[in-house]
């Protein structure tokens, strides 16, 4: 930045940073203290588009979106709002926005960072929940949203979640219930899915979901092969690598599990089954 504009008696210009302050920026934060070891429940919002941190979050121009995501920003914000509402109602819950830096055109903004910033800009991260809303910034698909968020929950609390609530698109619900829980051997009785779809006819969305995700995971539970592996590679343009095997060493073998039979379920020990 040109320091001349600050020292000249009548500046020639004022940097944009001095003209306005984003609503989410705070010179002083008030927040309730949290005993993270007491937290038992994970509330998870999988990321989709990337909010770029400036402009109204309800305005599509404030997001990096794929063409097929046009018209879905309202649903993204509804997911965020519902998740914050759940965390407000349950003082032993931790909300994680999950999603990595998946789009090179969006720059080094992660989906998770964008969701957190959108919630903050809307004024939803009030003092009672501020310290119980965090991010998981490496997931590249829905399976990783779940398993990486479980690991992130452990990083923050030292525990694995007793219960998980996912807030996402309703047309994706069966993918989580039928396939991801099976791959994780996570008990269905301890899992809840809150589904919120974009307005309009969901039939085309369901058809695309079956073709592009459900049917692929049904044949490849851990996303190790073919189109699912290609999607993961494409969604990691900045070559980021998670460190969850180090922070959750009991899961190190699980993270690398890619069986010869792609529908074979991992049969090793899992800490959420203890």
């Amino acid at each position: 930045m040109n320091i001349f504009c600050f020292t000249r008696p009548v500046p020639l210009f004022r940097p944009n940073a001095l003209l306005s302050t984003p609503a989410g920026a705070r010179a002083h934060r008030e927040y309730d203290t949290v005993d993270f070891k007491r937290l038992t429940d994970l509330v998870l919002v999988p990321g989709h588009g990337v909010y770029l941190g400036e402009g109204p979050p309800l305005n599509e121009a404030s997001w990096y979106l794929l063409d097929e995501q046009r018209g879905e920003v309202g649903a993204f914000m509804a997911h965020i709002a519902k998740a914050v509402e759940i965390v407000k109602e349950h003082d032993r819950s931790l909300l994680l926005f999950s999603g990595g830096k998946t789009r090179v055109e969006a720059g080094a903004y992660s989906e998770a960072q964008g969701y957190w910033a959108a919630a903050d800009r809307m004024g939803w991260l009030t003092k009672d929940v501020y310290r119980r809303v965090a991010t998981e910034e490496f997931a590249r698909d829905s399976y990783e949203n779940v398993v990486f968020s479980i690991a992130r929950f452990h990083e923050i609390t030292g525990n694995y979640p007793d219960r998980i609530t996912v807030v996402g698109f309703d047309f994706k619900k069966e993918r989580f219930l039928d396939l991801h829980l099976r791959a994780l051997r996570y008990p269905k009785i301890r899992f809840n899915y809150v589904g919120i779809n974009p307005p309009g006819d969901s039939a085309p969305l369901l058809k695309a979901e079956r073709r592009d995700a459900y049917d692929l995971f049904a044949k490849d539970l851990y996303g190790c092969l073919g189109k699912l592996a290609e999607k993961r590679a494409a969604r990691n343009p900045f070559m980021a690598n998670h460190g969850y095997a180090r922070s959750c060493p009991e899961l190190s073998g699980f993270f690398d599990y890619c069986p010869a039979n792609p529908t074979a379920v991992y049969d090793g020990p899992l800490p959420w089954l203890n």
Side-chain angles (χ1 to χ4, degrees):
M1 184 177 292
N2 188 348
I3 197 170
F4 181 67
C5 67
F6 294 106
T7 57
R8 181 181 171 89
V10 181
L12 297 176
F13 68 94
R14 296 176 66 197
N16 289 337
L18 299 181
L19 294 176
S20 63
T21 302
R26 303 284 189 273
H28 173 70
R29 283 276 190 182
E30 291 187 0
Y31 51 83
D32 295 344
T33 57
V34 175
D35 180 358
F36 291 104
K37 293 182 179 180
R38 291 182 63 254
L39 303 184
T40 57
D41 288 25
L42 166 62
V43 180
L44 163 61
V45 178
H48 300 285
V50 183
Y51 174 63
L52 299 174
E54 296 183 5
L58 288 168
N59 187 338
E60 284 195 348
S62 303
W63 293 71
Y64 176 79
L65 301 170
L66 301 177
D67 289 342
E68 60 266 29
Q69 294 173 322
R70 302 289 172 188
E72 295 184 352
V73 165
F76 299 167
M77 295 304 295
H79 298 164
I80 296 170
K82 183 61 178 178
V84 172
E85 178 185 313
I86 293 169
V87 171
K88 282 180 174 288
E89 293 174 353
H90 300 279
D91 64 2
R92 291 199 174 191
S93 60
L94 174 71
L95 168 56
L96 291 177
F97 299 120
S98 173
K101 300 171 183 177
T102 56
R103 309 296 176 190
V104 68
E105 298 88 349
Y109 291 93
S110 71
E111 295 170 353
Q113 287 173 337
Y115 274 46
W116 190 101
D120 195 38
R121 184 145 191 138
M122 295 296 290
W124 295 340
L125 302 187
T126 49
K127 64 188 296 288
D128 55 327
V129 298
Y130 178 71
R131 291 289 284 142
R132 291 189 292 119
V133 181
T135 59
E136 185 293 305
E137 301 190 39
F138 294 96
R140 300 164 294 177
D141 60 29
S142 56
Y143 171 74
E144 290 188 344
N145 285 140
V146 182
V147 68
F148 287 179
S149 291
I150 290 173
R152 182 77 175 113
F153 185 95
H154 181 267
E155 285 186 337
I156 294 171
T157 69
N159 308 309
Y160 288 97
D162 291 342
R163 286 164 293 275
I164 299 174
T165 296
V166 174
V167 183
F169 289 117
D170 191 64
F171 64 85
K172 296 185 178 184
K173 180 177 181 178
E174 300 308 315
R175 189 199 315 178
F176 285 80
L177 291 175
D178 296 348
L179 304 175
H180 296 339
L181 292 192
R182 179 182 166 200
L184 293 163
R185 289 164 46 214
Y186 198 90
K188 283 190 175 182
I189 197 171
R190 292 161 49 192
F191 183 86
N192 185 40
Y193 192 101
V194 178
I196 303 171
N197 276 343
D201 183 10
S202 62
L205 298 174
L206 279 166
K207 183 177 179 180
E209 158 67 11
R210 295 293 298 200
R211 180 189 67 236
D212 298 333
Y214 187 100
D215 289 347
L216 297 178
F217 275 110
K219 299 173 183 176
D220 181 12
L221 281 178
Y222 299 92
C224 298
L225 306 170
K227 290 183 179 179
L228 293 176
E230 291 170 5
K231 282 183 181 180
R232 286 181 183 168
R235 291 174 179 172
N236 190 18
F238 297 97
M239 312 301 178
N241 293 291
H242 69 80
Y244 298 131
R246 185 166 52 214
S247 58
C248 307
E250 58 273 31
L251 292 177
S252 58
F254 184 63
F255 290 130
D256 294 331
Y257 183 65
C258 281
N261 174 1
T263 61
V265 175
Y266 181 80
D267 62 0
L270 292 169
W272 46 86
L273 297 178
N274 293 339

